[in-house]
Amino acid sequence: MFQQILDPIAGSLLLSALCAALPLALLFILLGVFRVKAPKAAIASLVLSLALAVIGWQMPLDQALSATAAGIFYGLFPILWILVNALWIYKLTVATPWFEVLGRTIRSISNDLRILAILIAFCFGALLESLAGFGAPVAISAAMLMAAGMKPLKSAIVSLLANTAPVAFGAMAAPIIALNGVTGLPLQDLSSMAGRQTPFIALIVPLLLVFIVDGKRGVKQTWPVALVAGAAFGASQFVTSNYLAVELTDVVAAVVTVAAVLLMLKVWQPAETVGVGGSAQTADVPAMVPPGGTLSGAGAAAESTTAAGGPRRSAAGTDAAGIPTDNTRPEPRQIWFAIAPYLIIIAVFSIAQIPAIKAWLGQVGSVTFAWPGLHIEDSAGKAVAATKFKLDHFKSTGTLLLLSGVLTMVLYKISASQGLRIYRETLVQLRWTIVTVTAVLGLSFVMNLSGQTTTLGFALASAGGFFALLSPLIGWIGVALTGSDTSSNSLFGQMQATAAEQTGLSPVLMAASNSSAGVMGKMLSLQNLAVASAAVGLDGAEGTLFRKLIGWSLALLALITVLIFLQSTPVLGWMVP
């Protein structure tokens, strides 16, 4: 039996905490200063944490290695099992003409760039974040905004800022599931708490988008639809994360918001329409395109169909750079087929939540076991919960996504060989992400099980009630440097919960805050900035984007910090589950 030591370095909590922080400091310095690739930085930090665990915290070597293996396993299942299958579904849609139909459907709705910023970057970007993540929402929405006539730099800025609202529940809630895994706090409590924080940011983001596109005039003329979008998204996030299924939070929010915006545009239009170059036209120019109509500059290629009823790919309707310019509105049947994968996901997850089915899946597909070789007690002599695993292989999010992908293949008539080829391509695309995530989870488990995280938590607890203001900053730094809310939660989730317990704050509140506040740093992460720059053809523009966005990132961080602080007091304490 290994018992964690709170102050192993010279009997000093301060010195021990400084040593415990070294793996995290190394990770940040390698990523942020020396710009070392994330996989190498994560592996180096893992090795240092292992050395500290064995030499400093006196953890037996076999248990330290077993803790590493446990972290790698948890990184593979359920985290990467979710990410791989989610990205696979997205790539299945891209491999068919239906993804182009989906993009054209959105572009056909309005010729007002302010409205398109909300629909493409905010709504469609959230839908992609719910499945693909890892920069895909930023890259695709930025290209689509450019196709609509927005300037490259502005397209990148809008897409990066819009990617803030859905990240905490992105990739089928992988960040919240990771937070549950490293802290042992109830998944539903963490989901509910995050769902009572992120909607306030969602309410503001559409207003910021129209301000970036068109300044004060944009806010003055389009605030009604921006508020509708923000309110619909925020309310959907709250309801789904608190009362339905955490995995579906972003999918439901994106679909509901698109519907709300479309209904709004049927009864209301802005006084002017702002198109290419920021030029304004009076409202008598229709912002809505009638079925079968085209927008200015749209490709005039006629639509043909395959024998299966789907649209046939054509080189027509694209510019020299390959960006689609065909904005004709598809037929209703084609629109339904284009959104079918997302409807399938909603249906599969909804059926899995039916009490009888949920109970059956839990009985036949759930195994709880103690991880081999781990026999650990905390400094108070209590067994550490993280040594036990619950494997929900049938009802896990990743498995349900795999089923959704198979159903999508059947609907789109994708052959088994093509589906397997795309799955293999997905694994190849994510190969370095897999290394990074498993290394970060290994680092997290070693720090947690050796006692390094507990030492850090006790040291931070000396800040007292001030920790409620410090907690969001920790999450923000984690996401800005690692580029992943999932990785940040894995690194800091347990530390946040430990510090909260020592200061008399709610562990659920502080752990969820790591995720909710952390997403404000996503727009500044190097990997997201690089993706955005490449997507709009501005190689080397990362520094410019960083300078344009850091003010917005810090402002949003300050806003949610105030909210979290109030939730830690009697003023808004009633919001904590």
Side-chain angles (χ1 to χ4, degrees), residues 48-297:
L48 177 56
S49 180
L50 273 169
L52 287 170
V54 174
I55 299 172
W57 272 256
Q58 302 172 31
M59 188 180 196
L61 177 60
D62 60 334
Q63 294 213 46
L65 294 176
S66 183
T68 304
I72 291 174
F73 178 82
Y74 188 80
L76 292 171
F77 194 96
I79 303 301
L80 286 167
W81 182 235
I82 295 171
L83 297 180
V84 169
N85 288 320
L87 185 58
W88 175 57
I89 293 177
Y90 160 70
K91 290 176 72 68
L92 285 176
T93 65
V94 173
T96 70
W98 294 111
F99 186 77
E100 296 174 2
V101 174
L102 182 61
R104 186 154 52 86
T105 300
I106 295 176
R107 294 195 305 272
S108 71
I109 292 169
S110 174
N111 57 3
D112 190 320
L113 291 181
R114 301 166 302 185
I115 305 298
L116 290 177
I118 294 173
L119 280 170
I120 294 175
F122 186 69
C123 301
F124 187 52
L127 199 58
L128 292 175
E129 179 65 36
S130 70
L131 291 181
F134 290 98
V138 172
I140 295 168
S141 59
M144 291 176 68
L145 287 173
M146 284 181 60
M150 191 176 291
K151 293 181 179 179
L153 187 63
K154 187 170 289 187
S155 297
I157 293 171
V158 167
S159 298
L160 285 164
L161 183 58
N163 194 226
T164 300
V167 169
F169 294 98
M172 306 307 288
I176 303 297
I177 293 173
L179 196 59
N180 160 252
V182 298
T183 63
L185 296 170
L187 177 62
Q188 186 55 51
D189 287 352
L190 292 170
S191 170
S192 299
M193 189 68 254
R196 300 173 192 186
Q197 294 170 337
T198 56
F200 292 94
I201 299 301
L203 187 64
I204 297 172
V205 167
L207 290 169
L208 297 182
L209 297 182
V210 297
F211 178 79
I212 290 173
V213 173
D214 194 35
K216 293 181 179 178
R217 179 182 64 180
V219 176
K220 182 179 180 181
Q221 294 183 356
T222 62
W223 67 264
V225 70
L227 281 182
V228 166
F233 195 92
S236 300
Q237 274 194 327
F238 168 74
V239 172
T240 309
S241 62
N242 277 261
Y243 304 111
L244 301 177
V246 57
E247 299 89 350
L248 290 178
T249 299
D250 279 347
V251 178
V252 173
V255 171
V256 169
T257 306
V258 169
V261 171
L262 295 183
L263 290 174
M264 177 74 175
L265 292 175
K266 286 185 176 296
V267 299
W268 173 92
Q269 292 289 333
E272 295 178 326
T273 297
V274 174
V276 180
S279 58
Q281 296 176 320
T282 54
D284 59 334
V285 177
M288 297 289 290
V289 180
T294 59
L295 292 174
S296 175

Side-chain angles (χ1 to χ4, degrees), residues 319-364:
D319 61 13
I323 297 175
T325 57
D326 183 2
N327 298 328
T328 56
R329 179 175 298 176
E331 298 174 0
R333 177 182 175 278
Q334 293 181 338
I335 294 174
W336 281 110
F337 264 86
I339 65 174
Y342 309 102
L343 298 179
I344 288 173
I345 291 171
I346 293 175
V348 168
F349 277 85
S350 298
I351 292 172
Q353 293 301 313
I354 296 174
I357 296 178
K358 186 176 182 179
W360 179 78
L361 288 173
Q363 290 174 356
V364 300

Side-chain angles (χ1 to χ4, degrees), residues 78 89 96 195 209 216 241 336 338 445 459 485 513 522 536 572 575:
I89 293 177
T96 70
L209 297 182
K216 293 181 179 178
S241 62
W336 281 110
F445 270 63
D485 199 34
S513 297
K522 186 72 181 282
V536 298
L572 294 180
M575 297 180 69

